[in-house]
Each structure stands twice: as structure tokens, then as C-alpha cells.
Amino acid sequence: MLNSKKIVDLRSDTITKPCQAMRQRMAEAEVGDDVYGEDPTVNELEEKCAKLFGKEAALFVTSGTMANLLSILAHTRGYGRIIMGADAHIQKWEGGGYARFGHVSAALVEQEKDGTISIEKIRKVACHGDFEVPQTTLICLENTHNFTGGKALTRAYMKEVRKVADEFGMKIHVDGARIYNAAVKLNVPIKELVAEADSVTMCFSKGLGAPVGSAIMGSKDFIDRARYDRKALGGGWRQAGVLASAALYGLENAPKTISEDHRRAEHLATKINELKPDDFHVDLDGMTNMVMVECLGRFTSIQLEKELEKNGILSFMYDEKRVRLVVHRCIDDEDIEHVIEVFRQL
Ligand SMILES: *Cc1c(COP(=O)(O)O)cnc(C)c1O
């Protein structure tokens, strides 16, 4: 058994721990009280993010969940209905915050395999509203789309959504927890990829490798509202520059680290398809840092997860047929070769 002592943790890109250089940057961060707008490092991060995303303003917040919730609150003010994918992270894994705290209902639409919601389906549920039917005020998209396997949504698709959104007077919010991965994958500047969106979020605590934090980008007015609600939700923080510095470090290194992650993920996926075409399949189309292994018969996803675990590889059983392997900053070429070897021996 090779490397049997070492754990290769592919459950998620959230498990990364700050490296020494990132910790150094955190230790040396200039800080102030961010509720007073006086933390220079937070201000620097927010300015950089606004520029990177081509939006007027940005807000640094605790998590992707809070970023999405604040965005929904700011757009809807508790009015109407939002449209999102049935497997959207907002719908599946955020405690139902949009309904509990945002007081909006949702029209859930089955996504396509590539993580998009078809324009035709959006049109079917979109509604101007009358006395009975709640008006649809917001479309939430996810890029990359987590549940379908980290699929990148294209600029061309965004333009199509903009058209239908305008037709029904809806705003567009992009849950961009991994938007950086999408931009690298598609080789498009982030600001172009989100040009059609009214708001977009990004996580620093995923592929970018920071311990905590997300950002929201949008118009100045929108960000002012989000800042106001962030305080009300207990998300106003003080010397948050310690965390913002880690986010800045992650951002600066992302062009290199994210493309490395994608290269390794693609290599792993290609090898799995080559080695075991009758047992497993990974769809490489639009794939980024997630290797979604579909079990074709000999193994169930529970069995595959257990087999991998016996060999020191942690994965995430997604549903009856799929196991997710996420490549991130703390995974190197040797780890990937180990995973390939284990698949070879299965
Ligand atoms: C992780 C994730 C979030 C939420 O992030 P947290 O920081 O864990 O709250 C939102 N959307 C997507 C697609 C994610 O993968």
C-alpha cells in the first residue's frame, strides 16, 4: 500500500489551512475598526474586489451564505419570489435563510447538466405578478455550479439570462463562491463574466485558500443596503483586516494556484475515465476543480467512498451514484498519483 499513512482530503476546497506565507501576511496586517470603515486592509480588499469584478462597490463578509442572504435581502426587501435551480447551494445548504430572514418564496427549476437553468424554464416561471401570483423579482445563478460538478457557466449564457430578466423586470444575482474557477476555466476576465449580473459573491475560503470570508459586489446603493443588513445580522466586525489580508494573499496567488488545481483535476478525471470506463465516468465538459465520479454499476457511491477511505482518501458521497473529489491548494501531484493508483487497484 503506497502512502497509506498520509490522508489525501478531497472532500472540499474549504478544508485548506493557511500556509506559512499567508499566516505571515495575517500577522503583519494593518488593522482598524471596520464598523467605522477604518480598517485599511479591509478597505483595500473591497476596492480590489470592486475593480476585479467591474462593479461600483464591494463588501467583505463572513461567509458565502451570508453573502447570498445579504444579496437577496438587498434586492428584494422581502417582496416577491426568486427563481433558482432546484439544486442551488442557496436552496440546499444555506438553512433556508432566503425564506426565514428574507421573507421571499422561491420558484425552483431543474437545472441542466451543465449547471444552467434553461431560458425556456425561466420564462415558464417568470411572472409580472397579479393579485394571486407572486412577482418574480430576482434570478439566482451559481457559477461554478456546485451540485452538477463545478461546471462553469459561460458569458454567452449570462447574456441570454439578462434578456429574459429585463423582459420581466428581474435582477440577476450570481452565487460566485467559485467564480474565480469559472473565469480561469473559460479564460475570461471576471468582470466580463459577471457584466450581466446585478450582484455577485465570491468565497475566499474555497479555492483561494483563506481561512474565512467572502465578498459581495454590486452597485454602490446595493452594497450600502447590504452593509446595513450585515450589521443587523451581527456581521459587523472590527479588526477584520487580519482576515482580509489572508483573502488578499489568496487573490494574489489565485492565477497560479487555481489553474494548477484545474490541471490536476483534469488529469485525475481523464485517468479515471481511461482506467475504469466500465465502472466510473467523469464528465469533463465545463469541469473546474471538482471531479464528480459517477458510479456506473460495479460500485455504489457509498462503496466507492469507503474504498477510497480505506486507502487514506477522503471524498464526499454526493448522491446514490456520485462521489465528489475536490482538488485544492493543499493537494499536490503526488497526492493525485496516489488517488489514480487506488482507482487502478479497485
Ligand atoms: C460554499 C458555497 C457557498 C457558501 O459558502 P459558506 O462560506 O460555506 O457559507 C455558497 N455557494 C456555493 C456554490 C458554495 O459552494
Side-chain angles (χ1 to χ4, degrees):
M1 200 80 342
L2 27 100
N3 267 348
S4 59
K5 288 276 158 54
K6 192 182 171 197
I7 299 290
V8 179
D9 193 342
L10 299 173
R11 285 172 302 166
S12 176
D13 46 10
T14 56
I15 63 103
T16 56
K17 293 175 187 170
C19 60
Q20 205 47 47
M22 185 184 276
R23 285 170 194 263
Q24 192 63 32
R25 184 76 172 263
M26 294 170 79
E28 289 164 5
E30 257 191 77
V31 295
D33 193 323
D34 181 53
V35 171
Y36 300 156
E38 288 174 5
D39 190 300
T41 311
V42 171
N43 293 342
E44 182 190 345
L45 177 66
E46 290 176 346
E47 275 160 35
K48 282 210 166 130
C49 285
K51 216 179 234 170
L52 180 65
F53 281 75
K55 303 293 180 203
E56 282 173 13
L59 183 67
F60 184 43
V61 303
T62 58
S63 67
T65 299
M66 180 181 265
N68 284 328
L69 176 61
L70 290 175
S71 301
I72 292 169
L73 289 175
H75 281 310
T76 66
R77 298 329 253 176
Y79 178 75
R81 188 182 199 199
I82 61 178
I83 298 176
M84 63 181 155
D87 293 317
H89 194 282
I90 295 175
Q91 143 69 13
K92 271 183 126 76
W93 291 302
E94 298 185 11
Y98 67 90
R100 295 170 62 194
F101 312 116
H103 307 294
V104 288
S105 60
L108 301 179
V109 184
E110 209 58 52
Q111 299 97 178
E112 307 306 307
K113 273 188 162 171
D114 60 3
T116 61
I117 307 173
S118 82
I119 302 300
E120 196 189 329
K121 286 179 186 166
I122 292 176
R123 199 177 290 283
K124 263 193 190 151
V125 294
C127 186
H128 288 294
D130 56 22
F131 294 115
E132 290 185 325
V133 185
Q135 179 167 359
T136 45
T137 45
L138 179 68
I139 302 178
C140 296
L141 301 170
E142 194 175 305
N143 199 4
T144 62
H145 193 270
N146 188 331
F147 198 74
T148 48
K151 299 293 181 75
L153 275 51
T154 64
R155 175 88 211 271
Y157 172 69
M158 293 300 299
K159 287 187 175 167
E160 291 297 307
V161 178
R162 186 72 262 174
K163 273 192 232 153
V164 66
D166 287 344
E167 200 181 310
F168 288 91
M170 299 186 284
K171 295 274 184 2
I172 301 175
H173 171 67
V174 175
D175 173 355
R178 296 185 183 82
I179 192 80
Y180 209 105
N181 294 76
V184 166
K185 171 72 183 186
L186 301 167
N187 199 18
V188 179
I190 293 183
K191 69 167 82 159
E192 281 181 29
L193 192 52
V194 302
E196 266 67 46
D198 296 286
S199 62
V200 52
T201 62
M202 178 171 74
C203 286
F204 299 111
S205 57
K206 305 261 165 98
L208 301 188
V212 177
S214 283
I216 314 173
M217 279 59 64
S219 70
K220 165 108 183 26
D221 225 35
F222 166 84
I223 291 296
D224 283 348
R225 285 179 167 198
R227 191 182 293 278
Y228 180 73
D229 289 341
R230 183 187 67 168
K231 187 74 176 77
L233 290 175
W237 41 14
R238 306 296 178 175
Q239 287 72 35
V242 175
L243 297 171
S245 63
L248 280 165
Y249 179 90
L251 254 189
E252 286 158 19
N253 287 279
K256 180 161 176 296
T257 57
I258 298 283
S259 34
E260 288 272 276
D261 292 348
H262 291 185
R263 175 182 65 74
R264 291 186 175 114
E266 191 175 327
H267 175 58
L268 174 59
T270 308
K271 281 290 175 188
I272 292 172
N273 285 344
E274 258 175 45
L275 287 170
K276 302 275 163 175
D278 298 331
D279 297 327
F280 306 114
H281 178 70
V282 182
D283 177 9
L284 277 101
D285 218 21
M287 193 192 93
T288 51
N289 68 332
M290 292 183 190
V291 178
M292 195 65 89
V293 185
E294 195 184 334
C295 299
L296 302 177
R298 190 157 69 97
F299 295 90
T300 64
S301 53
I302 299 175
Q303 286 168 331
L304 176 60
E305 189 190 48
K306 288 213 170 106
E307 284 299 323
L308 293 173
E309 194 173 348
K310 272 191 226 161
N311 289 284
I313 300 160
L314 303 185
S315 62
F316 188 2
M317 192 207 83
Y318 240 42
D319 53 30
E320 314 82 67
K321 294 191 92 175
R322 300 183 307 158
V323 171
R324 190 183 80 166
L325 307 171
V326 187
V327 179
H328 50 77
R329 284 176 59 117
C330 300
I331 297 297
D332 60 19
D333 289 331
E334 200 185 317
D335 297 329
I336 295 293
E337 290 311 316
H338 172 58
V339 180
I340 292 169
E341 190 48 40
V342 170
F343 269 94
R344 193 192 308 274
Q345 289 171 14
L346 276 178

